[in-house]
Amino acid sequence: MTSESERAVDADEGRLAVVAASNALADFLRAHPESEPALTEDEDAGFARLRAAGPFQLNTAWKENLLRIAAADLTGVTDLKATSDSLSRLADAVLSRGLELAREEHPGDTRLAVIAMGKTGAEELNYVSDVDVVFVAEGDLALATRQAAHLIQVVGPATWPVDAGLRPEGRSGALVRTIESYAAYLKDWARTWEFQALLKARPAVGDLELGLEWLAAVQPFIWGAADRPGVVADIRDMRRKVVDSVPAAERKYEIKLGPGGLRDIEFAVQLLQLVHGRGDPALRVRSTLEALDVLVAGGYLARRDGEDLSDTYVFLRTVEHRLQLQRLLRTHRVPDGGEPLHHLARTLGYTTDEGFLAAWRAHATTARRLHEKLLYKPLLDAVTRVSTAELRMSEAQAAGRLAVLGFNDPASALTHIKKLTAGVSRTATVQKALLPVVLHELADSPEPDRGLLAYRQVSDKLGTTPWYLRLLRDGGPAAVRLARLLGTSRYFTSLLLHVPQSLRYLSDNADLTPRPRAELAAGMRQAAARHSDPTAAVGAVRSIRRRELIRIAAADLLGIIDDQEVGLALSDLTDAVLEAALEIGARGLDDVPPMLVVGMGRFGGRETGYGSDADVVFVHDGADDAQRKAAAKVVGTVRTLLGAPTADPPLDLDLDLRPEGKGGAIAPSFAAYRRYYADRARLWERQALLRARPVAGDEALAALWTEFADGVRYRPGGLTEAERVEFRRVKARVDSERLPRGADPNGHTKLGRGGLVDIEWTAQLLQLEHGDDPAIRTTRTVPALEAAAAAGHLNAADLLSLREAWLFVSRVRNDMTLARGVPRDDLPRSGPELAALAQTLGFGEDTERFLNEYRRLTRRAHEAAQRIVLGGLDSEPWRNWGSG
């Protein structure tokens, strides 16, 4: 086929360019001056001479065609794609002539098709390469095998080596097979790399009708390959093996197989095609550059990434062409210096070696970076979990499938899907690529319908924001994580919908690591300082708190942090909020004395849950009425601003643990605080101080408070016998009176048997008894139990029972709040809520197994608590424990 551009080659310019770039072709011209007209002839004339060549003229005719292609390439008449097309057409012509010669040598009646593979099949052949083929036949297979073997023998020595090693069973397999034999092999024996190789297959010469029948037969196997288990891992492993096959000392010079080479791009592109091409026929193309175009058009690849990969691929292939042209040798190694490197740089248009090397390093870095990004992105693994059948469903089939997957309202789900994918915008295109993964991930979540609604709401808010869909497609595990979180947690969803920009945290575990208290406090103070109005200042603080709650909840649900870390993170966050709010509350007030916020309860113990109020006591070091009033005003302002109804979640402060309780001063002076504990405090108030700690305010006052509190809570000699009786009496009242009416004592996470209060009181009794040991002085429950065991005050079996129950029940309690979006202490009795909780906790839908595990752990913890607190198992609460 003649192109207008090829006719435009100037004879002198073409000859000079070829002689300068290729020693091998220059030597050929000197030996065959009569071939010089080939430099400017058209393709038809070149192929005509090739078709007339006998076995011994084949090499000359081939090189004359190379002269024509190289002249157009080196003078800029053709670009890389046109050059590769021309070389591929030349390969087809060579194979065609080889087959004619083979049939002359082995005449007979049989059908034989030559299937081009590799770069020849993709029509992106380079100057010196094996021509990869496989043969398919029908009829006399023995005759077809002789013809195929003769073709290889004639063509290989004269032109490019013909390699049939990609056939089934490789070089040990039959050279020629029938369509049925190929299909049987692909069905039962083929490995992942063989399907990868078939991506580039095309019938080239011979019986093209038979070749097309073969291609139609193998297509379902190619596009079903990604349904096989481990296909993504197989391709990743194959790429590692290819790199490892190059000696370490040679890798930095290798432009094809080394890191940042052509194979990095080709493997990434082919993996994307295999995974996404199952459901999108537009991706079923052979050429790497064409595949990059359709991957971008289909939304599977960012435009910028596609452009960078295309530019890098063209650069690397051009370097490969220039390397091979010099001596017509199959090489992919860049020279390490000297004249060979000078020659390469000059033929590529660079005036200095360093200019070329800098460009190569930049492109190699791009290839490697994008290879790692694409080949290892979690979205690929997620897509392979979606079956090919699901990717190709009609609307009616989709509705049925959504019902099977667990969507309770398939019609509504379809409506959401249509809205997300309507039109021809880039947003709709990328959503079409993402939704199979999102839906499949949602289907495995406790609430698929609610999760899909939330996904649409987030997409409606951010769909036109450039970074949003790019993050979901390219941001590591972001898409999978978002779907999982939206389908699992109403708490997370409600937080995210107000600040959807926070989903950026999902792409990197480092972004999901809770921020330290000091960093949070500094950020909140800076944000507050930008607002003179206290309401706006606290609003900025609460906005930061919302984003940090999103971070913590996501990290928790994704298993990046455990329950102990959740408690610490939520407590640190509350500390920082109170520190900033205390400063804001004092703005513009005169006579504000030094003030301290003391954390109490679970907050003081740094065991805050998602639904916890912040139990606090405010103390000031003022001496006159003006200071007392100023301190009270600060407390009132802080409580009001933090609890005010706004778009950001409130932080409710509970002051009931202050001296005199609800009847006491809202902010007692430190002197009054000390007098109260010296004169009137009861044992339970002393006990409450075990979980108390300074969380914000004046450092000097904090030190004084700590010294005083330690003297109250950690008394030498432990409890008196009367105090032990009082402790047991109060605990019995808690067990009998505080459990809500109608609550199941075997299923209340806080006040039930073996619940959090049981375990907390056990730890606190040990601290009251042995608080003179500094090792046991901690506000946290599990560390207190561990310290008691280390000191010999608690046996190993009881420690194990109490600790396991504490961790599991805390997890259950937090997960109930995360799931429903509101605090809850009692287990669901049955139904979807219980099933969802079991699923979130890793029990699948086996609610009975979850309940048995909960009962087992809490029963053992309750037994230990009874032994330690009550001294035996004869108490009424134990006799009423019941079954389970």
Side-chain angles (χ1 to χ4, degrees), residues 440-455:
H440 212 263
E441 199 65 35
L442 285 172
D444 289 335
S445 70
E447 293 192 294
D449 297 86
R450 186 177 291 274
L452 180 56
L453 171 62
Y455 179 78

Side-chain angles (χ1 to χ4, degrees), residues 257 562 660 766-767:
L257 303 179
D562 62 26
E660 309 288 1
L766 292 168
Q767 288 181 295

